[in-house]
Amino acid sequence: MRARIHVTRVIGVAAVALVASGCSLISSENDGETGATDKSVTLVAHESFALPDEMVAAFEKESGYTLEISKLEDAGALTNQLVLTKDDPVGDVVFGVDNSFATRAIDEGVFASYAPTLPAGAEKFELEGDDDDALTPIDNGNVCVNVDNAWFRKNGIAAPTSLADLTEPAYKDLFVIPGASTSSPGLAFLLATIEEYGDEWPSYWEDLVANGAKVVKGWSDAYFTDFTFSGGDRPIVVSYDSSPAFTLNKAGTKSTTSALLDNCFEQVEYAGILKGDEDDETNVAGAEAVIDWLLSPEVQAALAPSMYVFPVADGIELPAEWATFAKRPEGTDQVAPAEIASERQAWLEEWNEIISR
């Protein structure tokens, strides 16, 4: 569920400490030609990044690079860290910047250009307006409200079916939302409500807050702490269209949760090379090798079972149960990247003001 993961997510405490201290994770050795730092390359990612160890080992064997993986927090916090450390980057390449936060990092000059050969199908996920090839699409998913149907059946309450329902008294104190300023799915949900309600979106959020909606820092907090499926006390959560494939019964024949597919926001995650400066050069060759690897058929096929996201490449086989339980919306809410770039700060300031009252 990002279900991502629903795989164990361990925040890179050491990496965070290094970020806080402003230290680079890059080796000091240099090949004197491309700026490459010996044979080590550092991939910075959000906390949900997860690929099989044997796949990482195969990359290292085939490429000759030692891959250091530094996990920070949610994609929103990750992007903010990249901006704050742009003059002293914390790695060579990043995975996990999404389309809701991407323009913030691009406008700050965080990335070097790289235009790899994309697998068929990936071109439709390229970021609109990214004329300098700063970011490469790797995966996609749709941020949707999820409901714990088992909880609603047990309590004799009809589950909500729309965004409007979430402001009804029947669902008071039942909804948990990752924060829009610190979480990419949180921002994606805010954008979905902006698309749905237009200029009236602040009123909708005021109603949500008045109805007891709980805002937490990130998706992991919402899904793994507060959501009833994970033992919490809130049966409605912002998550993904793939999340119901994670909540199957023991027989694997039925999911206990479902996604509301009418108001989902499409999220695309990208990889990019972190631009170094004269004193702190990026391992460009290593970074390009990592992005090429993320686009490889092997990694694209591992994205769904490892991170509960969809590949950007066409023709990749998905887990069999996804056909039944990871249903995709027929359409998604869309906000143009240019509008997000120009309005994001104002929207977030107004959103913060509403949830802080």
Side-chain angles (χ1 to χ4, degrees):
M1 259 141 19
R2 280 194 157 202
R4 256 178 145 9
I5 307 207
H6 293 317
V7 168
T8 302
R9 302 145 170 258
V10 179
I11 298 175
V13 175
V16 172
L18 285 169
V19 169
S21 66
C23 296
S24 171
L25 297 172
I26 303 173
S27 165
S28 60
E29 295 182 36
N30 190 293
D31 68 5
E33 294 182 355
T34 65
T37 54
D38 64 13
K39 299 303 289 183
S40 177
V41 57
T42 298
L43 169 64
V44 184
H46 54 54
E47 60 183 330
S48 298
F49 179 81
L51 288 174
D53 291 342
E54 58 269 27
M55 188 166 287
V56 174
F59 166 77
E60 293 182 324
K61 182 178 181 181
E62 294 172 7
S63 70
Y65 290 105
T66 298
L67 182 61
E68 303 289 344
I69 300 174
S70 296
K71 298 181 185 179
L72 299 183
E73 298 183 72
D74 187 275
L78 168 66
T79 304
N80 291 335
Q81 286 287 5
L82 295 180
V83 171
L84 292 172
T85 59
K86 65 178 182 179
D87 295 327
D88 188 13
V90 294
D92 300 300
V93 56
V94 61
F95 163 80
V97 175
D98 85 321
N99 50 317
S100 66
F101 280 98
T103 52
R104 168 163 161 72
I106 290 176
D107 292 346
E108 292 287 344
V110 167
F111 306 110
S113 296
Y114 181 50
T117 300
L118 297 177
E123 68 282 351
K124 60 180 175 285
F125 295 101
E126 290 186 281
L127 184 68
E128 180 183 327
D130 181 16
D131 298 330
D132 294 328
D133 298 314
L135 292 170
T136 299
I138 303 298
D139 67 56
N140 75 101
N142 294 299
V143 175
C144 311
V145 172
N146 275 226
V147 297
D148 184 346
N149 297 304
W151 185 95
F152 281 103
R153 282 195 296 271
K154 180 180 179 181
N155 288 275
I157 302 172
T161 61
S162 68
L163 293 183
D165 283 349
L166 302 177
T167 63
E168 296 296 322
Y171 306 110
K172 185 173 179 60
D173 299 331
L174 298 184
F175 188 25
V176 59
I177 311 166
S181 59
T182 54
S183 163
S184 60
L187 179 55
F189 178 65
L190 171 60
L191 294 173
T193 63
I194 289 172
E195 174 63 15
E196 176 69 12
Y197 293 100
D199 292 341
E200 300 303 316
W201 73 264
S203 296
Y204 175 74
W205 275 87
E206 288 170 355
D207 292 342
L208 274 183
V209 172
N211 205 37
K214 181 180 181 180
V215 178
V216 297
K217 183 176 181 181
W219 173 86
S220 294
D221 301 308
Y223 199 91
F224 291 114
T225 300
D226 291 283
F227 189 39
T228 47
F229 172 79
S230 303
D233 60 1
R234 293 185 178 247
I236 311 170
V237 64
V238 170
S239 194
Y240 288 85
D241 55 355
S242 58
S243 299
F246 177 72
T247 60
L248 303 184
N249 59 12
K250 291 182 179 179
T253 57
K254 187 176 182 180
S255 178
T256 61
T257 68
S258 63
L260 306 187
L261 299 179
D262 288 340
N263 292 105
C264 301
F265 188 88
E266 184 181 63
Q267 184 182 58
V268 180
E269 292 190 317
Y270 300 91
I273 297 174
L274 299 177
K275 186 188 298 181
D277 59 23
E278 293 180 356
D279 299 322
D280 193 7
E281 296 185 17
T282 294
N283 184 344
V284 174
E288 292 178 352
V290 170
I291 293 177
D292 292 344
W293 174 61
L294 294 172
L295 291 171
S296 68
E298 293 78 15
V299 172
Q300 289 287 299
L303 292 171
S306 298
M307 289 192 273
Y308 278 76
V309 290
F310 292 84
V312 292
D314 286 341
I316 301 296
E317 185 176 359
L318 297 173
E321 65 271 21
W322 280 43
T324 302
F325 301 110
K327 296 179 180 177
R328 312 216 74 180
E330 294 183 359
T332 57
D333 291 330
Q334 301 287 332
V335 180
E339 185 177 6
I340 295 174
S342 65
E343 301 296 331
R344 180 176 46 235
Q345 187 60 34
W347 286 336
L348 288 175
E349 288 176 359
E350 188 162 8
W351 175 85
N352 270 305
E353 197 277 328
I354 293 170
I355 67 166
S356 299
R357 291 175 186 168

